[in-house]
Amino acid sequence: MEGRLSGISADAGGPSGRRTRKISVARHWKKLGVVSWLCAVMIPLAAGAQPVADVGRPAAVSTAADYLIGPGDLLQIFVWKNPDLSVEAPVRPDGRITTPLVPDIQAQGRRPTELAANLQQALSNYIQEPVVTVVVKNFAAPGNSAAVRVIGAAVTPKTVPYRAGLTALDVLIDVGGLTVFANGNGAKLLRRENGAYQSYPLRLKDLVRSGDLKANVNLMPGDIIRIPERMF
C-alpha cells in the first residue's frame, strides 16, 4: 500500500501532475474573477432598485382607500354568509343605490368602507351582526368626477376613464403621446387633497422618449395632467 501511495505521489510530482495543478489553479482563479465581477455589478444594481409600486410616486399621494364613490360606479356588495343579499349595485345619477332590504341609501361622496358601515347598520335591523364589504367593480364613465383629465400639449387632450392601477404612461398612450411642441418635463399632476388641489412635477418627456420608468406615477380618480408647450 505504501509503495502504491509513493508511486502516486511521485507521479503527481512529475511534469504531468504539475501541469494538472496549474490548470486547476487557473480555472479556480478564473471562477473567482467571474464571481467577483458579478458581485461588483449586481450589488450596486440591487441597492439602487426601487419597488415598482413606489417608483415616481409624488409625496403625500392619496391611497386607494381615499376613493370617493361617484355616479356611474358599479359596486359589488358582499354580505358574509348571506348570498341572497350580496349583489351588484350601480350608483344612480342621484348618487344613491338600491340593495335587498335597503332600497335606498346614499353612496356618492362616501368611501367604500364608509358605505359598508352604513349598510351594516341598516341591515342590522333584519339580520344579526351583518358583515358587509363594498368593492368598486367598475369606475364611472368619462365626464364623471372619477375620470382622469389630460389638458394642454397632448396629441389628443381628453378625459380618460379611471381604472385601478392606472398610470401616467397608460394615459399618455391613450391620448396619443406628446405633441412636437410639448414641454413634457414641465408637466404637472394636479390632485385634489383635503379640499384643495396640490401640484406635483411630472417628467413625461423622460418617460416617453427615454423610457425612464422612474418618471411613471400611479394616478388617482379625478387627477388632472397639465402639459405646457415649450418656450421658443
Side-chain angles (χ1 to χ4, degrees), residues 87-100:
V87 295
E88 290 184 356
V91 182
R92 304 194 303 260
D94 63 358
R96 307 179 78 83
I97 62 172
T98 297
T99 68

Side-chain angles (χ1 to χ4, degrees), residues 18-34:
R18 283 194 295 272
R19 283 196 302 271
T20 301
R21 284 199 300 275
K22 287 180 180 178
I23 293 172
S24 298
V25 170
R27 287 177 178 172
H28 174 73
W29 283 107
K30 186 175 181 180
K31 289 180 180 178
L32 285 178
V34 171

